[in-house]
Amino acid sequence: MLILAIDTSTSAITVALRGEGVAAAASVLDARGHAEHVAPLIQRCLATAGLGPSDVTDVVVGNGPGPFTGLRVGIVSGLVFGHARGVPVHGICSLDALAVEAAPLVGRGDLLVATDARRKEVYWARYSVELTDPDVPESLVTRRLTEPAVDRPADLPEELRGLPTAGRGPDLFPDLFPHSLGVLDVQAATLALLAERGILASDEMPVEPLYLRRPDALTTAERGKK
């Protein structure tokens, strides 16, 4: 199994490969240049691993939520790659990957993931972190408690905003999210890990973009309906 992971839901355009004896990752911080970076990052990861596109057996993309254009670039790139190679393409909520990255910093309890949704809003979801085996620190399990949503930070309950928080929400709104965990952007390597677990467990992981709201750019017909 060799998984190609792509996520463009946050400021990090991130790509990774994961397989037996294979681990390669590359990221670029650029909130606007998703289309320019995805293909070169895929090529860089394959070159680092000494592999080619034909070695990939599965593709996973971050479903978001994320800004419309950036998120679409990553998902379409993954679907095109999968179609060209004839391999399955899976989708995973990008906030789930951030929660997994932040879980070791929490240990046990609830955490909040809040990422930049622009328009002075955040994409968010609440998670619980559990230690299934007290003697094994790596046995952390994260579970999403709410569906992903988009809101103004001040509209979230104070109790929720007071949780340890991953994502760029605390950087953008430090007064409203006072407990930053310092985990800012999705890493494709974590997305690949979640996909590997899901594939081995025969879980369904559909590609379902979580735009949560209409795109900033509207067609002429759509503008006429407003």
Side-chain angles (χ1 to χ4, degrees):
M1 181 191 304
L2 181 66
I3 299 170
L4 169 65
I6 303 168
D7 191 277
T8 55
S9 66
T10 60
S11 298
I13 301 117
T14 177
V15 173
L17 289 173
R18 181 182 177 86
E20 187 174 353
V22 177
S27 298
V28 173
L29 285 178
D30 187 341
R32 304 285 180 177
H34 302 81
E36 291 81 4
H37 294 298
V38 173
L41 290 175
I42 293 174
Q43 294 171 354
R44 188 190 309 177
C45 285
L46 288 169
T48 299
L51 299 169
S54 61
D55 294 302
V56 174
T57 61
D58 293 87
V59 178
V60 60
V61 296
N63 280 335
F68 184 87
T69 301
L71 182 61
R72 182 174 56 183
V73 167
I75 291 175
V76 169
S77 297
L79 290 171
V80 169
F81 188 101
H83 177 74
R85 301 308 313 164
V87 299
V89 182
H90 315 282
I92 291 176
C93 175
S94 302
L95 302 184
D96 292 358
L98 271 169
V100 169
E101 292 163 23
L105 301 174
V106 175
R108 184 178 296 177
D110 286 7
L111 68 85
L112 177 70
V113 175
T115 64
D116 183 12
R118 301 175 188 168
R119 306 184 193 176
K120 298 182 180 181
E121 295 178 328
V122 292
Y123 298 115
W124 67 273
R126 183 173 186 163
Y127 293 80
S128 68
V129 182
E130 302 170 4
L131 191 64
T132 59
D133 186 339
D135 298 322
V136 182
E138 294 79 14
S139 66
L140 288 174
V141 174
T142 60
R143 183 166 58 92
R144 183 159 20 102
L145 302 177
T146 64
E147 290 300 312
V150 58
D151 288 290
R152 290 184 176 272
D155 292 338
L156 300 181
E158 184 176 355
E159 178 268 337
L160 188 62
R161 291 188 276 108
L163 292 174
T165 305
R168 290 193 176 267
D171 279 11
L172 297 170
F173 308 99
D175 293 339
L176 294 173
F177 299 108
H179 303 298
S180 173
L181 289 169
V183 177
L184 301 180
D185 297 302
V186 175
Q187 298 300 315
T190 306
L191 204 67
L193 170 63
L194 293 176
E196 181 182 73
R197 292 174 180 172
I199 292 168
L200 293 174
S202 298
D203 292 341
E204 291 188 10
M205 296 178 286
V207 178
E208 295 178 346
L210 298 171
Y211 296 126
L212 300 190
R213 65 188 181 200
R214 300 179 71 185
D216 291 321
L218 301 179
T219 66
T220 302
E222 288 173 329
R223 285 194 294 269
K225 293 178 182 178
K226 292 186 67 177

